[in-house]
Amino acid sequence: MAKRQSPIAGLFDMGVWSKKLLQDHLFYILFLGFLTFVYIANAHLAERNVREIQTLQKDLKEMRWYYMSLQSENMYNAKRSEVAKRVKDNGLRPHASKLNRIQVRQESYQLGDGY
């Protein structure tokens, strides 16, 4: 009586031709496995880089908002009225009179006159 095999066992049964084919192309099969490993590792590395770039872009946006708020606050505090309010307690006040202009005549100024 012949031994009967199940269909699943027949899939894993290697004939003489299959063994010879596997032995002849073993290095090629290992090389394809290595390339598959490199491909998967590269995909994971690319995904990690994309996540890091997104995180850095988010941080950059937050820093830009922070910079803009500081710049706005600085411009507000540099207004003449705000400066006057802050220095009022020190006894300083804005100059009320008209500014004087100093003019120097060109003919009276010569090199070597004490300079």
Side-chain angles (χ1 to χ4, degrees):
M1 208 169 181
K3 190 174 182 184
R4 191 164 195 210
Q5 288 184 331
S6 69
I8 295 175
L11 292 174
F12 296 109
D13 185 29
M14 296 181 68
V16 176
W17 292 101
S18 299
K19 286 182 183 179
K20 177 75 171 146
L21 188 66
L22 181 64
Q23 288 173 353
D24 289 344
H25 299 294
L26 182 63
F27 290 112
Y28 180 70
I29 292 170
L30 291 175
F31 178 70
L32 288 179
F34 174 72
L35 286 181
T36 304
F37 175 76
V38 169
Y39 180 77
I40 292 171
N42 187 34
H44 285 290
L45 180 66
E47 283 293 323
R48 187 175 65 199
N49 285 341
V50 167
R51 282 193 302 264
E52 185 177 343
I53 288 170
Q54 289 174 346
T55 303
L56 290 174
Q57 284 177 339
K58 180 183 170 193
D59 291 344
L60 179 65
K61 190 181 286 188
E62 288 178 11
M63 291 292 203
R64 187 176 293 134
W65 290 341
Y66 182 67
Y67 167 75
M68 298 278 273
S69 67
L70 286 178
Q71 187 179 22
S72 173
E73 184 179 335
N74 190 25
M75 288 177 68
Y76 176 76
N77 289 333
K79 286 179 11 181
R80 185 175 178 169
S81 60
E82 291 300 314
V83 172
K85 285 180 195 175
R86 285 198 313 254
V87 298
K88 189 177 185 180
D89 295 337
N90 295 340
L92 299 175
R93 56 183 170 75
H95 199 292
S97 65
K98 183 178 174 184
L99 298 177
N100 297 328
R101 185 179 217 180
I102 301 174
Q103 291 182 339
V104 178
R105 295 186 194 161
Q106 287 294 86
E107 62 269 359
S108 67
Y109 179 73
Q110 295 178 359
L111 289 176
D113 286 343
Y115 293 103

